[in-house]
Amino acid sequence: MSATDTAPDAQVAIAAAVRPRRFGAWYVAEHRFRVMRSYLQTVLMTALGYPLLYLFAMGVGLGSLVSRNLGDQGVDGVSYLAFVAPALLCTAAVTIASEEFTYPVMLGFKWNPTFYGMNAAPISAGQIIDGLVISVVARLLTASIIYYVVMLLFGAVPLATGFLAIPVAVLAGVAFGVPVMTYVATLEQDTGQLALVMRFVLLPMTLFSGTFFPLTAMPWFLQWIGWLSPLWHASELARVFTYGMPEPLWLTITHVLYLAALFVVFWMWTRRIAARRLNK
């Protein structure tokens, strides 16, 4: 076969690679959406089960006891349900992000190394990470909208600006999940590290981030955990929007900048780790 015979084939191959090179991240996101279909029941049950279970148990069940002792406005000037609901919304987003940024990442790099197959095609390592982030953001947005609707049904959103808690929850999810993804991307083997993240990072963060009670109710020597926690920053920000929690403007801006910085910095860092790992 002569060079002139192979030229058209080469041109066809080059032309076929244009779209993956340009829209590679969206192809990866589509792949993740198709994978999610395999556990669609879990996705739906999580989206509906979290708000129904937690809002009823913590907001209505425990909330009735709190209100009986402190009154209907005994926690931060509102009912306990209104106080805890935005934090539970952010907690649900963080939990979902911890699921999507751990085992699927380990799967793509190690257990079923689809990331290497994608990278062998005209899809860069950065696009693989971008596509993964896009898919998780889509799931977080869907779950947060459902959660917010249930909050409305429970009467847990006093202000019309409460819908802004939805993007706050999504930002909380990626602000915690993307740094976890960065860590997972460095792992060659899982010998229990992912379970340790869930037990010794996610769970303590939930308990010590002012989720169920104001952070100031904790001893001063433990409050620093909340200050570092993306969940605390997101919960406080969501409370500002849902019931108008009083706080200075500079602190509200700090919440946004801190969450955005965690997301962007570790996102870029993960892209570099993926490029180094997939191209060596």
Side-chain angles (χ1 to χ4, degrees):
M1 181 179 295
S2 64
T4 56
D5 294 329
T6 60
D9 294 335
Q11 293 175 358
V12 170
I14 293 173
V18 171
R19 286 179 61 84
R21 289 185 184 278
R22 183 178 302 171
F23 304 108
W26 295 100
Y27 282 110
V28 176
E30 180 186 2
H31 165 74
R32 284 300 309 156
F33 293 143
R34 292 179 181 273
V35 173
M36 288 181 189
R37 290 174 57 185
S38 64
Y39 54 95
L40 183 60
Q41 289 182 333
T42 301
V43 172
L44 295 177
M45 289 300 294
T46 298
L48 290 172
Y50 278 166
L52 291 174
L53 177 63
Y54 282 97
L55 286 176
F56 186 81
M58 301 303 301
V60 179
L62 180 60
S64 63
L65 299 177
V66 174
S67 298
R68 185 180 305 169
N69 289 276
L70 301 178
D72 293 335
Q73 296 182 337
V75 184
D76 208 17
V78 295
S79 67
Y80 186 70
L81 176 60
F83 171 79
V84 78
L88 292 177
L89 167 63
C90 295
T91 302
V94 167
T95 303
I96 292 172
S98 67
E99 297 169 357
E100 291 291 345
F101 282 124
T102 50
Y103 294 101
V105 176
M106 198 68 189
L107 181 73
F109 277 117
K110 183 67 179 180
W111 296 331
N112 182 21
T114 52
F115 291 170
Y116 288 91
M118 296 174 183
N119 193 228
I123 297 178
S124 68
Q127 288 175 320
I128 294 172
I129 299 303
D130 294 348
L132 183 60
V133 171
I134 290 170
S135 66
V136 177
V137 167
R139 183 182 172 187
L140 288 174
L141 181 60
T142 303
S144 298
I145 291 173
I146 295 174
Y147 207 118
Y148 181 73
V149 170
V150 177
M151 287 169 58
L152 291 176
L153 296 176
F154 273 79
V157 186
L159 296 183
T161 56
F163 70 94
L164 294 174
I166 296 173
V168 171
V170 175
L171 184 58
V174 295
F176 174 76
V178 171
V180 171
M181 176 177 64
T182 304
Y183 168 67
V184 175
T186 65
L187 298 178
E188 295 292 341
Q189 296 286 345
D190 174 29
T191 56
Q193 296 97 320
L194 302 187
L196 291 176
V197 169
M198 300 296 183
R199 295 175 185 174
F200 297 105
V201 178
L202 179 61
L203 181 58
M205 185 181 70
T206 303
L207 297 176
F208 294 100
S209 295
T211 306
F212 305 110
F213 46 83
L215 189 65
T216 52
M218 292 175 54
W220 63 268
F221 54 85
L222 292 178
Q223 292 183 16
W224 65 271
I225 300 176
W227 301 335
L228 296 178
S229 166
L231 182 55
W232 177 74
H233 288 275
S235 297
E236 296 291 283
L237 189 58
R239 285 169 176 146
V240 170
F241 295 131
T242 55
Y243 68 81
M245 184 190 73
E247 72 171 14
L249 179 60
W250 68 264
L251 185 54
T252 300
I253 295 174
T254 300
H255 294 324
V256 176
L257 293 179
Y258 182 75
L259 294 171
L262 283 176
F263 172 40
V264 174
V265 170
F266 282 93
W267 184 6
M268 296 298 102
W269 193 357
T270 309
R271 285 169 56 95
R272 295 184 62 180
I273 293 173
R276 184 169 62 249
R277 184 167 181 176
L278 295 176
N279 296 327
K280 66 179 180 181

